[in-house]
Each structure stands twice: as C-alpha cells, then as structure tokens.
Amino acid sequence: MSSGRPGESGSAGRRPEPEEPGPGGRAETVTNAAIAVVTAAALVIAEVVFAFDRGVSPEPHSLLILLAGSASIALIGRWPMATAVTVGLCLPLYYVTGTDDTWVAWLMLFVAVMRSAANGRRAAPVATVVIALGFFTIGEITAFDPWRAAAILAWMAVIVAAAELIRNRAAYLQAVEQRAAEAERTREEEALRRATEERLHIARELHDVIAHNISLINVQASSAVHRRDPERAFEALEAIKTASKDTLRELRTTLGVLRQVDEQDGERAPVPGAGRLPELVRGARHDGLEAVLTVDGEPADALGGPEPPAPVGAAAYRIVQEALTNVRRHSAADRVEVAVAHGPGSFSVRVTDNGSGGAPGGRTPGNGLRGMRERILALGGEFSADFRPEGGFQVYARFPVE
C-alpha cells in the first residue's frame, strides 16, 4: 500500500520500504504520537462522561474502536494510508456496533483528516472520507434515515473543505520556505562567483605587470652584458631602474587593494589607461625595437582622439602591454606597430610585428593571450590573435564605446 508521499515508489513486485525519518521526520513522529495520545484521552473521557450521563456503563468495544482509530494517527507521518483506512473504518463501525449516537467518533475523523492535510497530503484525507462514506452508505441502505444521511454528507463536506484549506496553506508555507532557501543559496553562489572573478582579475593584473616589466629588465640586462659598453650600460641600468620602480608601484597598488589600505598610506600608481600607450611604445624603443604608434592612421608620439572610458582604456593598456611583452619574449621581431582607432561607438587597438615566433597555429596560447581574451569579452568586445600570412603576428581588440 502506497504511503502517499511524492517520490516514493518501489520496484516491480516489491513493496516499497518506508524511509527512516531524518531530524525533521523524528520531530513529526513525536508530534503525531502526542496528537494521538491527546485524541485518545479526549475520546475516552468524552465516551465515559456521555455514558454516565445516560446512567449506563461505557461499552468496551466502543472504547477499543476509539482507541484503535486514535492510535493510528501516530502512524500518519510514515503510513498515511494505513491511518486513512483505520479511521475510515472505525468511524462507521463505532456507530453500527454501539448503542450511543454521540459526536465523539467524529472528533477522531476530524483530527486524522486535518493532521494529514497539514502534512501537505491530499490522497489520504480523501481516502479517509471516501471509506467512511462507503460504509455509511451500506448502513443507510439497510436502514435509511434522510435527516441522518443529510447530516453525514454535510459533516463530510465541511471536513473535506477544511482539509483542503489547511493543505493549501501548508503548501504555501512550504513554497515560501523553499524560495527563501533558494534565495539564500543563490546569494552564496553569487558571492562565490564574484570572489572568483575578483581573484582572476587580480591574477591578470599581476601577470601583466610582472611579465611586462621583468621581460623589459631582462632585455636591458642582457643588452648591457653582451655589448660591454659603459655608456650603454648606464642607459640600461636607468631603464632597469625605471621598470623596477613602475613594477613596485603597480604591485603596491594591487596588493593595497587586497589589504584594503588607506589611500594616504603610501604612494599609489594611477590606474593605467589609454593615455599611457605612448609611454609603452617609447619603452619598446628603448629595448631596441622599431616601435611606431599611430592614431587613426596618423603617426603620433602622444595619443590623440577622445579618451575612452576608464575600463576600456585600462583593458587596452594591458592588452598592448602584454602584446609588446610577447614580441620581446617569443619573436625575433625588430619592428612593431601599435595602431589605435576611434570609430563611431568603438575603440580599437592593433599590435603587429614582423617577427617569426613559430609557424601559424604551432604555439599553444598561454595565459597572456587567454587573459587578453577574458578582458575583452568581459567588456563585450571582439578579440583576435594569430599569425599573419605575410609574416609576423597580430593582436587585435575592438571595444564598444557608448
């Protein structure tokens, strides 16, 4: 016999085993047992009082029927259909076998149906009423009384309506609890997602800063060692000093954000933007590259055109920085071009070199290219990075600008 709980089913030919109650199930079992005890005590007391009021002794079999129906309420949590059948049988059996015609047994039916409905069930309360009505119908066939039949139908209709109201309220409260739990889970997931994105953002910043400036320091140091020219060595040392100072400033800024340091607690590097692109190109020239910056096709030592929004400018700066770092580390280029274009509703940068760097498709994209792509896609832009048919490598990024 089915327990009436959603999701409970057994294999073919096997009776489903009732689940062991969890912490909530144990509380429900205790509550049902307490309700069963209180109901049984109330029914027995009422039966005894009504019997002595008429000057007779309580009938033992009537007391047993009331106790059996009340005891089945304790099982309503795990076997609601067993309770439905027991109570549905005990109610008409009480009136058929006994001599009393009081309302006592109806209290048993009312408590069982209401408790089952409060647990969110519909089948068990309906089954209780249908079974009781079926046996009452058999009794009315043998001895029909229109007033009694009308009273039974009226009471059954009232009980069913009350049970449906209670079940709907229980379903509403359960839905509210589920929505609250879902909202809490969603908030936790959103906080975790934002924390993960922030860590990735910081990792990209550190990668861009360290990879670019350490690469520049390495190139300058190697140049000074191989040329053994005191004058060029001093120039290399000056470039190394500048690069290391910039590295320390940017690292201090990034770590200061992590530590939530006050703005007055030391020097902070400004957030890099498109306005510092000429500085990057000049740094590449110090490394021995023929670096050229153009704005909308015109040569420029200072960036021209309208300044893009800060997020776009910062992303463009980091992309050009990483592209120049890759030129130094992975290609044998001696010329690199950085082109900046201001279009209607867009801002784009293009970095091309004439190096070899390997055959097209022969190198697996590293963290640098992956970081570029993530930056651009986060701003809703377009990104491409690949070898050119005429030779060299090209990085292109286009940002939407309102």
Side-chain angles (χ1 to χ4, degrees), residues 3 6 257 290 349 379:
S3 66
V257 172
E290 183 184 349
V349 293
L379 295 173

mmCIF file of all heavy atoms in Angstrom, residues 3 6 257 290 349 379:
data_model
loop_
_atom_site.group_PDB
_atom_site.id
_atom_site.type_symbol
_atom_site.label_atom_id
_atom_site.label_comp_id
_atom_site.label_asym_id
_atom_site.label_seq_id
_atom_site.Cartn_x
_atom_site.Cartn_y
_atom_site.Cartn_z
ATOM 1 N N SER A 3 2.352 4.907 0.531
ATOM 2 C CA SER A 3 2.338 5.802 1.680
ATOM 3 C C SER A 3 1.774 7.161 1.339
ATOM 4 O O SER A 3 1.502 7.963 2.219
ATOM 5 C CB SER A 3 3.755 5.978 2.232
ATOM 6 O OG SER A 3 4.543 6.645 1.297
ATOM 7 N N PRO A 6 5.084 11.997 -2.167
ATOM 8 C CA PRO A 6 5.608 12.160 -3.505
ATOM 9 C C PRO A 6 7.001 11.583 -3.598
ATOM 10 O O PRO A 6 7.840 11.769 -2.726
ATOM 11 C CB PRO A 6 5.634 13.679 -3.713
ATOM 12 C CG PRO A 6 5.058 14.286 -2.512
ATOM 13 C CD PRO A 6 4.838 13.252 -1.487
ATOM 14 N N VAL A 257 44.954 47.094 -2.603
ATOM 15 C CA VAL A 257 43.534 46.799 -2.741
ATOM 16 C C VAL A 257 43.181 45.544 -1.959
ATOM 17 O O VAL A 257 42.152 45.462 -1.288
ATOM 18 C CB VAL A 257 43.166 46.640 -4.236
ATOM 19 C CG1 VAL A 257 41.735 46.140 -4.384
ATOM 20 C CG2 VAL A 257 43.341 47.961 -4.960
ATOM 21 N N GLU A 290 61.984 48.844 -33.283
ATOM 22 C CA GLU A 290 61.472 49.993 -34.018
ATOM 23 C C GLU A 290 59.966 50.035 -33.768
ATOM 24 O O GLU A 290 59.176 49.388 -34.458
ATOM 25 C CB GLU A 290 61.766 49.854 -35.515
ATOM 26 C CG GLU A 290 61.320 51.072 -36.319
ATOM 27 C CD GLU A 290 61.529 50.876 -37.815
ATOM 28 O OE1 GLU A 290 62.200 49.895 -38.201
ATOM 29 O OE2 GLU A 290 60.994 51.688 -38.597
ATOM 30 N N VAL A 349 42.456 48.679 -30.769
ATOM 31 C CA VAL A 349 43.915 48.692 -30.799
ATOM 32 C C VAL A 349 44.385 47.488 -31.599
ATOM 33 O O VAL A 349 43.757 46.420 -31.562
ATOM 34 C CB VAL A 349 44.521 48.667 -29.366
ATOM 35 C CG1 VAL A 349 44.218 49.940 -28.633
ATOM 36 C CG2 VAL A 349 44.034 47.461 -28.584
ATOM 37 N N LEU A 379 34.081 43.011 -21.439
ATOM 38 C CA LEU A 379 33.557 44.330 -21.810
ATOM 39 C C LEU A 379 32.696 44.271 -23.063
ATOM 40 O O LEU A 379 32.316 45.316 -23.601
ATOM 41 C CB LEU A 379 34.727 45.305 -22.032
ATOM 42 C CG LEU A 379 35.571 45.618 -20.787
ATOM 43 C CD1 LEU A 379 36.786 46.446 -21.163
ATOM 44 C CD2 LEU A 379 34.732 46.355 -19.752
#
